[in-house]
Amino acid sequence: MTAPAAARPAARRPFARRLLARPETGALAGAVAVYLLFWAVAPPFRKLDSLATVLYQSSTLGIMAVAVALLMIGGEFDLSAGVAVTTSALTASMVAFQFTLNVWSGVLAALVLSLAIGALNGVLLVRTRLPSFLVTLATFLMLQGLNLAVTKAVTGNVATDSIRDMDGFEQAEALFSSSFSIAGTELRVTVLWWLGFAALATWVLLRTRYGSWVLATGGDAASARAAGVPVTFVRISLFMTVGFAAWFAGMHHLFAFNTVQSGGGVGNELRYIAAAVIGGCLLTGGFGSVPGAVVGAFLFGMVSQGIVYADWEPDWFAFFLGAMLLLAVLLNLWVRQQATRRRSP
Amino acid sequence: MRRRNGDRSAVRRGLAALAALVVAAALATGCSSDSGGKRARERAEQEAAAGRADTPRITVALITHGAPGDTFWDIVRKGAEQAAAKDNADLVYAGDPSPAEQSALIDNAVDQDVDGIALTMADPEAVSGAIARAREAGIPVVGLNSGLDAWRDAGLLSYFGQDEALTGRAFGDRLNDEGGRHGVCVVHEQGNVSQEQRCGGVAETFDGDLETLYVDGTDMPAVRSTIQAKLQQDPSIDWVVALGAPFALAAVGSVTDAGSDARIATFDLNPELVTAIEDGDIAFAVDQQPYLQGYLAIDALWLYVFNGNISGGGAEPVLTGPAFIDEENVDTVADHARNGTR
């Protein structure tokens, strides 16, 4: 799935070894192990309805994780991604409500703003030459403040007003937050969007020139630039991709819950990064995979819901979550080491 | 420098012997405390243990918007556990401050096919979808703590809690009785609707000025210094209104450090706060009786499942507050608060 610049021609290696060398294989092994564990200890987890709940939770995280994985493969971080989702949802809701417009106007305004925030992150990064960690930390804090201050100034409250009864709400709800039945199980539409976005991102990364630019920029920006890769364009566009995903996730949140609390989203940025890293993205950039991030998000959703299905003591929830993720990543690493181990002569 | 193995194990044996000696000495001297400690708590627990219903075992879920590790929600949970133990029920507890996560937890309880769900509605719109799914699955749902204006519309059977705005208004009246002129309302969770309602209620009836001060509730040192800065900046402030016991206790330090004469009052209790009221550091607290909220909600589910009873008649909320606690009556609740049930 990935195309790291392999020194040896891949075709000479046996198929099994090639499979093991893929960044998402280890994550998949971890996910299967965790799935089997919960299957064994939690009877409610075995139901299809439960799987649908897990997939839904994974998809809301996963849509963001896809974009964040691309950004990380390109060698950058985005700490503002969590609150950016809330910013987008607040914008759409307030624009529609305050000006009494069709909700689609709010949705479009939010898209423009989200892309602008992404572009701002990218431009700041390129202009200041500061690490993206610092640039996006600043954006994160500013957005967190804006979310509250603007919402309070505009609505007089800390949450937006309900837009359920406004024109266009039902269409937007159908697009961003409907559910459909498969074999008697209600599946949320976000699951399809998630897999669709992931497929698109995978294709872009592996089959297009832009994808190879992303890998080159993340691997070694200086040599990439020397080789004629438009590094600045790649970075800004990657941040805008995260902005687009934040818009989509924000729209889902708005049309699933009708109101938005201005304090939401804080802390989610780390979950997106965690999902990408579990899926095999390196923190240093230049290596990783989109399907891996999909599996990482699924693993996250599975653990966080599975602990509840298993009725484990909720006080231990965060501990279990951390321990499971650590085990999954260690398994991932072990699988990858098996793949790259030299055969004994 | 590397020691040889033999040396290292000798050192380890010596340390172990020393540790054993210390423990043995502590036990032998019999320096046990006659008051407080674990023994006092065990006594209290034995006294609280009630009989048990002989109805068939059921499973009920309590799903709150409480963050893990929050003292308030721990008390709610204790009340619910006590009721579950008495009603021969299994209690599944889960909580998450994010409305989206809470919705997922409700779906999760529906997937588990529980016999009843008790939940909080901090963001009624956000959890209404999940509640509808629970009702479609034929599971009775009751509300507690938050969602006073929304529980009927969402199709809940009953509601147990206090009216935040009403409590705020009672709080404001009390400040007037105390002769307050300039208060500051400390919001520790930006974006929390019920906190805004509390401050709004106080402002409605309070005759003096009431300002809002935002602090970061997850960072106690910052809470303390922010309140201190505010008191130093405006010496005319004579009342600090906290929205949770830990924040009132932090404000005690702020008032001392700022050299201010401001008095402190708060919503909600905790064990240390009782001591602070006894010592006169904090003037009064308004208790919404979280233990009662958890207990009544679970009991109501049991009554509905086995006898079709609807607490509150399906039309009116069952109010658990406001109960004012000050120097006059603090001794009646002190022991319960110290046991973490009040």
Side-chain angles (χ1 to χ4, degrees), chain A residues 47 53 148 258 305 309, chain B residues 101 108 111 125 190 196 214:
Chain A
K47 291 163 52 178
T53 306
L148 178 75
N258 312 325
Q305 292 292 325
Y309 286 122
Chain B
E101 298 288 330
N108 194 313
D111 294 338
E125 282 278 351
Q190 302 196 346
E196 299 283 330
Y214 285 111

Side-chain angles (χ1 to χ4, degrees), chain A residues 240-311:
Chain A
M240 288 177 77
T241 307
V242 175
F244 174 84
W247 166 76
F248 198 93
M251 290 311 96
H252 165 69
H253 189 95
L254 174 62
F255 293 106
F257 304 114
N258 312 325
T259 56
V260 189
Q261 294 201 347
S262 56
V266 178
N268 286 350
E269 64 281 344
L270 291 178
R271 294 181 180 191
Y272 307 146
I273 291 169
V277 172
I278 292 165
C281 284
L282 292 183
L283 290 166
T284 47
F287 185 78
S289 90
V290 174
V294 169
V295 175
F298 179 61
L299 204 110
F300 218 103
M302 205 161 44
V303 173
S304 59
Q305 292 292 325
I307 289 170
V308 185
Y309 286 122
D311 195 19

Side-chain angles (χ1 to χ4, degrees), chain A residues 174-199:
Chain A
L175 180 69
F176 293 110
S177 171
S178 54
S179 36
F180 55 94
S181 258
I182 289 187
T185 303
E186 287 281 298
L187 201 64
R188 303 295 283 268
V189 74
T190 44
V191 177
L192 293 186
W193 282 113
W194 171 40
L195 299 176
F197 285 142

Side-chain angles (χ1 to χ4, degrees), chain A residues 194-249:
Chain A
W194 171 40
L195 299 176
F197 285 142
L200 178 69
T202 306
W203 177 78
V204 166
L205 191 65
L206 301 182
R207 291 276 177 272
T208 66
R209 198 164 52 149
Y210 181 80
S212 55
W213 286 352
V214 171
L215 283 158
T217 305
D220 184 348
S223 3
R225 187 174 274 123
V229 173
V231 171
T232 301
F233 165 76
V234 168
R235 283 175 174 162
I236 294 176
S237 58
L238 282 174
F239 274 107
M240 288 177 77
T241 307
V242 175
F244 174 84
W247 166 76
F248 198 93

